[in-house]
Amino acid sequence: MTDSKNQSSSKRTSGASDSPPAADGRQDNRRNRGEKRGGRRDRRGQERDSEWQERVVQIRRVSKTVKGGKKMSFRAIVVVGNEKGQVGVGVGKAGDVIGAVRKGVADGKKHLVRVPLTRNSSIPTLSNGRDGAASVLIRPAAPGTGVIAGGSIRTVLELAGIKNVLAKRLGSKTPLNNARAAMVALSELRTHKATAKERGISLEQIYS
């Protein structure tokens, strides 16, 4: 009787000792799966971030008058684009330059504009944009012309993926207003096919 009791108790202890490693193995597998999934998500996020390019147009030190005196901070104007027809202009303010640029990039990605591009990496039609006292005129150009523009307008056009274009700045010289005026001009662009669809006519009637 004592031998049978000892055998049964040894079986119970062996079964109890064998169960935790199996549970630990399952937990390790779950952790490995979670790490693999997290790694895939991180890679996708890095690929998406690598598509976007960021250029700082201007960094200025600004002040705000408060009750105790003046509060100094930095303002950064950043242009974000993927050179595939998407571009945005953002403004960020912070106590340091790095924080202002980071906020400007986030703001630029929130205000993206899709630009229709032709086969020659140009714009389909003439466009005019206005923001505040700044006015910008953008017109298509032949292949090999390049980007004929200056200041913040050139930065916006290059990050939008436009390689052949003529642009003229009219009015104010403020970089922020010029960049926003260029964004207004790009947002108003329409292809001939889209215009024909809106009017309810054929594409041949537009060209005729």
Side-chain angles (χ1 to χ4, degrees):
M1 293 293 289
T2 56
D3 295 337
S4 60
K5 289 181 180 179
N6 293 331
Q7 290 177 359
S8 61
S9 61
S10 62
K11 288 181 180 178
R12 290 176 184 174
T13 54
S14 62
S17 62
D18 293 341
S19 57
D24 294 339
R26 292 176 183 175
Q27 291 179 359
D28 293 339
N29 292 333
R30 291 176 182 175
R31 290 175 183 174
N32 294 332
R33 291 176 185 175
E35 290 177 358
K36 291 179 180 178
R37 292 176 183 175
R40 292 176 184 175
R41 292 175 183 173
D42 294 340
R43 290 175 185 174
R44 292 176 183 175
Q46 291 176 359
E47 290 177 357
R48 292 176 183 175
D49 293 339
S50 63
E51 294 179 357
W52 298 97
Q53 294 188 12
E54 307 159 3
R55 290 190 190 176
V56 179
V57 175
Q58 186 186 56
I59 296 177
R60 293 187 63 181
R61 192 176 182 185
V62 295
S63 62
K64 179 182 179 182
T65 304
V66 294
K67 186 176 180 180
K70 290 185 178 181
K71 183 180 179 181
M72 306 300 294
S73 61
F74 292 92
R75 186 192 72 173
I77 304 173
V78 186
V79 180
V80 183
N82 60 355
E83 294 186 354
K84 296 179 182 178
Q86 283 186 310
V87 66
V89 176
V91 180
K93 293 182 181 180
D96 57 337
V97 177
I98 298 175
V101 173
R102 189 184 298 111
K103 289 182 180 180
V105 171
D107 186 48
K109 290 183 179 180
K110 291 179 183 178
H111 301 89
L112 292 175
V113 171
R114 187 173 293 277
V115 183
L117 302 177
T118 61
R119 296 178 181 177
N120 300 324
S121 298
S122 184
I123 57 177
T125 58
L126 177 73
S127 181
N128 191 0
R130 188 176 182 85
D131 184 87
S135 180
V136 176
L137 176 65
I138 303 175
R139 62 171 56 199
T145 305
V147 180
I148 309 300
S152 59
I153 304 172
R154 183 183 184 88
T155 306
V156 172
L157 296 176
E158 286 179 349
L159 290 185
I162 303 173
K163 298 180 181 179
N164 301 296
V165 68
L166 299 170
K168 180 63 179 175
R169 179 188 64 189
L170 305 170
S172 176
K173 298 180 181 180
T174 308
L176 180 58
N177 286 349
N178 284 320
R180 287 178 174 174
M183 291 291 294
V184 172
L186 295 176
S187 64
E188 293 178 354
L189 287 174
R190 297 289 184 276
T191 60
H192 295 90
K193 188 175 181 180
T195 304
K197 188 176 181 181
E198 289 177 0
R199 295 182 182 179
I201 59 178
S202 62
L203 191 62
E204 290 77 9
Q205 292 179 355
I206 291 181
Y207 287 109
S208 60

